[in-house]
C-alpha cells in the first residue's frame, strides 16, 4: 500500500468482500428441480469475473480507493498492479495530486493532497532528498533533478514507485540556470526529458555573456543528444521550461523591470542559431516575478507575480493563444496577501485543469480550478514531522512540492 488516509485511524471503514449465496438445485428424473435443504455453495461475486472486467469496475473509483482495495486479497493486488497484460487506460479521469514536503535540518516529511476528496494522505517517497528541488511531470510520470549534482536525474511513477536513474546529462554540472522539462507520449509509451543549461561566462570586454545548451533524452534510445550549444550574448536564461505539443518553451530575460520573453524550441526540428529563436520569441505583456511555465491539458499557461498590482504585487494567470498571452484570472488581493504574508518565495505547479500555489515558509496550499475559476484553500500542507532538539529560526523550515497525475498505466 503506497499511501494511507490518516483519517482511517479515527474512523474505520472495513472493506467487505461481498459474498452471494448460490444454492445448488439437483434435478430429479422428471426434470423438476428440488432444493437440497441444508446445503449451499458460497461464491465470491467476483470469482468468475475476468481480470479485465474487474479492472474496469475498479477503474471507476478514485485512485486512493483503488490503492486501498488492492490489499483486499492477492488477486485484487495483482489486478491493480498488473503488468502490461492489462491496461488502466480506461481509468476514469483523475484530478492531479499535490505532493508537499517539509524540510528542516533534523527531519523530512511528505504528504499528498487530493483535490477530489479534499484530504491529505501520508505518502511514502523514499527517493526524495533535501537537495532535490527541480521537478517536472507529465501524464503520471515525474522527473526529479538533484541540484547539488545537476547531472543526476530520476524518472518514475510515484504511485507505482518504479524509479529509474537516467544517464548523466552532458555539459557542465554547475550552470547558473538549470531548466527541466518532461513529456510522455501515450502513442509510443515513451518519454522525453529536456535539460536547458544557461551559464554566465567571463569574457574580456563582455561583462554580460551567457551560454545556452539544450540536452534531450529519449527513453526509446536511452541516450542524450545536444542539438543546441551556443553563446547567446547578453540574453539571460532561466530555470523555467515546459514541453507542450512537442515544442520546448523556455523563458528568457527575466529582468524585474522588463517583461519576459518566451522562445519556442521545436524538438523535431531544433533551431540552428540563437538569432532564429529570438526572432520568433513571444514577449510577455508586463514584467513578472517568479514566473512559472505549466502545461495544462496541452495548453501553455504562465503564472507570475505582477509588481504593480495590487499595491504590493499580485498573482496573474496567463494562457498562450496564437502567440498571444491572454489573461485568464487575477488572484484576489485578500488571497494574495494571505499567501504572501511573509514575503516568501511563491511557487506554482499544475496538471489537468488544476493549479497549486504555495509559499516556501507557510504550510498552506491554494488551488485554482481553471474551468470553474474557483480559488480554494486546503488545510495545512505539511506539519513539522517531529520535534527538533534546537529552536527553529525563521527560514529554517522550508516547504516545497510538485503535482502529478495519478495513473497506473504509465511506467518509466
Amino acid at each position: 500500500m503506497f499511501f494511507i488516509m490518516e483519517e482511517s485511524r479515527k474512523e474505520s471503514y472495513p472493506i467487505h468482500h461481498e459474498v452471494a449465496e448460490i444454492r445448488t438445485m439437483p434435478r430429479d428424473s422428471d426434470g423438476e428441480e428440488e432444493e437440497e435443504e441444508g446445503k449451499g455453495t458460497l461464491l465470491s461475486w467476483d470469482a468468475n469475473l475476468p481480470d479485465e472486467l474487474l479492472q474496469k469496475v475498479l477503474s471507476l473509483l478514485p485512485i486512493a480507493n483503488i490503492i486501498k482495495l488492492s490489499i483486499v486479497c492477492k488477486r485484487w493486488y495483482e489486478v491493480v498492479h498488473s503488468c502490461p497484460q492489462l491496461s488502466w487506460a480506461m481509468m476514469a479521469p483523475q484530478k492531479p495530486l499535490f505532493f508537499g514536503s517539509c524540510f528542516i535540518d533534523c527531519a523530512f516529511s511528505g504528504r499528498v493532497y487530493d483535490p477530489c476528496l479534499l484530504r491529505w494522505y501520508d505518502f511514502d517517497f523514499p527517493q526524495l532528498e533535501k537537495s532535490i528541488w527541480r521537478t517536472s511531470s507529465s501524464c503520471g510520470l515525474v522527473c526529479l533533478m538533484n541540484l547539488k549534482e545537476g547531472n543526476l536525474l530520476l524518472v518514475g511513477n510515484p504511485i507505482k514507485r518504479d524509479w529509474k536513474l537516467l544517464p548523466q546529462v552532458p555539459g557542465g554540472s554547475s550552470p547558473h540556470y538549470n531548466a527541466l522539462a518532461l513529456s510522455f507520449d501515450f502513442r509510443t509509451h515513451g518519454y522525453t526529458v529536456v535539460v536547458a543549461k544557461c551559464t554566465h561566462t567571463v569574457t574580456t570586454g563582455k561583462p554580460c555573456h551567457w551560454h545556452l545548451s539544450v540536452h534531450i533524452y529519449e527513453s526509446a534510445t536511452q541516450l542524450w543528444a545536444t542539438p543546441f550549444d551556443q553563446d547567446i550574448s547578453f540574453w539571460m536564461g532561466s530555470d523555467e521550461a515546459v514541453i507542450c505539443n512537442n515544442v520546448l518553451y523556455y523563458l528568457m530575460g527575466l529582468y524585474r523591470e522588463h517583461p519576459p520573453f518566451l522562445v519556442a524550441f521545436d524538438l523535431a526540428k531544433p533551431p540552428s542559431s540563437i538569432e532564429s529563436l529570438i526572432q520568433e520569441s513571444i514577449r510577455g505583456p508586463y514584467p513578472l516575478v517568479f514566473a512559472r511555465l505549466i502545461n495544462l491539458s496541452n495548453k501553455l499557461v504562465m503564472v507570475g507575480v505582477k509588481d504593480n498590482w495590487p499595491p504590493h504585487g499580485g498573482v496573474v494567470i496567463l494562457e498562450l493563444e496564437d502567440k498571444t498571452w491572454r489573461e485568464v484570472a487575477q488572484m484576489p488581493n485578500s488571497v494574495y496577501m494571505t499567501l504572501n504574508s511573509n514575503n516568501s518565495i511563491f511557487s506554482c505547479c499544475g496538471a489537468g485543469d488544476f493549479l497549486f500555489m504555495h509559499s516556501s515558509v507557510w504550510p498552506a496550499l491554494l488551488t485554482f480550478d481553471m474551468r470553474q475559476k474557483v480559488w480554494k484553500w486546503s488545510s495545512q500542507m505539511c506539519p513539522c514531522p517531529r520535534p527538533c532538539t534546537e529552536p527553529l529560526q525563521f527560514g529554517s523550515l522550508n516547504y516545497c512540492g510538485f503535482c502529478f497525475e495519478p495513473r497506473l498505466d504509465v511506467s518509466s
Side-chain angles (χ1 to χ4, degrees):
M1 180 170 56
F2 301 121
F3 54 84
I4 306 173
M5 283 189 283
E6 289 186 342
E7 288 78 8
S8 63
R9 301 174 184 173
K10 302 177 182 179
E11 300 180 39
S12 178
Y13 296 96
I15 302 174
H16 297 286
H17 199 181
E18 296 186 11
V19 174
E21 181 174 344
I22 310 295
R23 292 189 180 275
T24 58
M25 303 281 188
R27 292 179 178 272
D28 58 13
S29 57
D30 295 330
E32 295 179 1
E33 296 180 347
E34 290 183 354
E35 179 177 350
E36 185 177 352
E37 295 182 1
K39 294 184 179 180
T41 302
L42 294 180
L43 295 177
S44 168
W45 67 270
D46 66 334
N48 297 317
L49 201 64
D51 289 350
E52 290 81 359
L53 191 54
L54 175 58
Q55 189 188 60
K56 176 62 177 178
V57 173
L58 297 178
S59 71
L60 301 176
L61 300 174
I63 188 68
N65 293 346
I66 295 176
I67 300 301
K68 288 190 67 177
L69 287 173
S70 70
I71 65 172
V72 168
C73 63
K74 181 179 179 180
R75 184 191 176 212
W76 285 29
Y77 181 89
E78 292 175 349
V79 168
V80 170
H81 303 287
S82 61
C83 294
Q85 288 83 3
L86 297 178
S87 173
W88 286 94
M90 79 288 282
M91 181 185 294
Q94 304 277 333
K95 292 182 179 180
L97 302 179
F98 177 84
F99 175 80
S101 59
C102 168
F103 288 125
I104 56 178
D105 293 335
C106 60
F108 162 77
S109 175
R111 306 177 78 194
V112 159
Y113 178 71
D114 188 340
C116 180
L117 301 177
L118 304 178
R119 292 180 179 178
W120 287 94
Y121 305 91
D122 285 337
F123 194 82
D124 183 12
F125 210 122
Q127 294 288 354
L128 188 63
E129 300 174 1
K130 184 174 181 179
S131 57
I132 293 179
W133 287 86
R134 195 82 69 240
T135 64
S136 182
S137 64
S138 176
C139 303
L141 283 187
V142 174
C143 185
L144 306 175
M145 175 185 288
N146 188 314
L147 292 189
K148 286 186 177 179
E149 300 177 21
N151 294 331
L152 177 61
L153 278 78
L154 291 170
V155 175
N157 184 335
I159 300 297
K160 301 176 70 173
R161 297 193 300 182
D162 61 342
W163 296 102
K164 177 181 180 180
L165 179 64
L166 299 187
Q168 284 199 345
V169 186
S173 59
S174 301
H176 289 82
Y177 295 104
N178 218 358
L180 174 67
L182 170 70
S183 178
F184 183 83
D185 189 344
F186 274 111
R187 294 177 296 113
T188 63
H189 274 250
Y191 58 87
T192 301
V193 179
V194 177
V195 175
K197 299 182 179 184
C198 192
T199 304
H200 181 245
T201 59
V202 178
T203 305
T204 304
K206 296 181 180 180
C208 297
H209 196 74
W210 294 88
H211 184 90
L212 176 66
S213 61
V214 178
H215 311 277
I216 302 176
Y217 174 86
E218 298 288 352
S219 62
T221 62
Q222 300 185 16
L223 296 173
W224 287 96
T226 306
F228 191 90
D229 187 8
Q230 296 185 19
D231 290 336
I232 57 175
S233 185
F234 60 88
W235 301 104
M236 183 177 68
S238 74
D239 294 323
E240 284 301 309
V242 69
I243 300 174
C244 191
N245 297 318
N246 205 39
V247 175
L248 174 72
Y249 291 96
Y250 182 59
L251 270 186
M252 299 184 69
L254 287 177
Y255 301 102
R256 197 178 190 94
E257 65 275 10
H258 299 294
F261 61 93
L262 185 75
V263 294
F265 190 101
D266 191 336
L267 297 180
K269 187 180 179 182
S272 58
S273 65
I274 184 62
E275 287 77 17
S276 60
L277 278 178
I278 300 302
Q279 289 175 2
E280 299 295 328
S281 64
I282 304 169
R283 191 176 180 84
Y286 29 66
L288 291 174
V289 184
F290 304 129
R292 300 289 184 265
L293 294 178
I294 303 169
N295 182 344
L296 295 184
S297 300
N298 288 324
K299 294 182 179 180
L300 184 61
V301 172
M302 182 166 62
V303 182
V305 179
K306 292 174 61 177
D307 269 349
N308 58 351
W309 180 92
H312 301 290
V315 175
V316 62
I317 301 172
L318 305 170
E319 183 177 308
L320 188 64
E321 289 185 353
D322 297 327
K323 297 186 177 182
T324 302
W325 290 108
R326 178 181 67 88
E327 192 170 288
V328 176
Q330 290 184 347
M331 183 182 294
N333 189 20
S334 58
V335 176
Y336 174 74
M337 298 305 291
T338 303
L339 181 68
N340 195 41
S341 57
N342 293 315
N343 294 320
S344 59
I345 297 176
F346 163 80
S347 295
C348 180
C349 59
D353 296 315
F354 269 81
L355 289 172
F356 300 90
M357 306 176 193
H358 64 93
S359 160
S360 61
V361 297
W362 192 48
L365 179 66
L366 178 66
T367 64
F368 180 71
D369 190 321
M370 290 286 288
R371 286 189 178 183
Q372 300 181 6
K373 303 297 186 294
V374 174
W375 303 89
K376 184 178 295 184
W377 289 103
S378 76
S379 56
Q380 283 199 349
M381 186 164 69
C382 286
C384 184
R386 65 174 183 263
C388 297
T389 56
E390 299 179 0
L392 290 175
Q393 303 295 325
F394 178 79
S396 62
L397 192 65
N398 207 323
Y399 297 93
C400 66
F402 58 86
C403 70
F404 61 93
E405 299 176 46
R407 302 192 66 95
L408 291 166
D409 60 333
V410 173
S411 300
S412 61

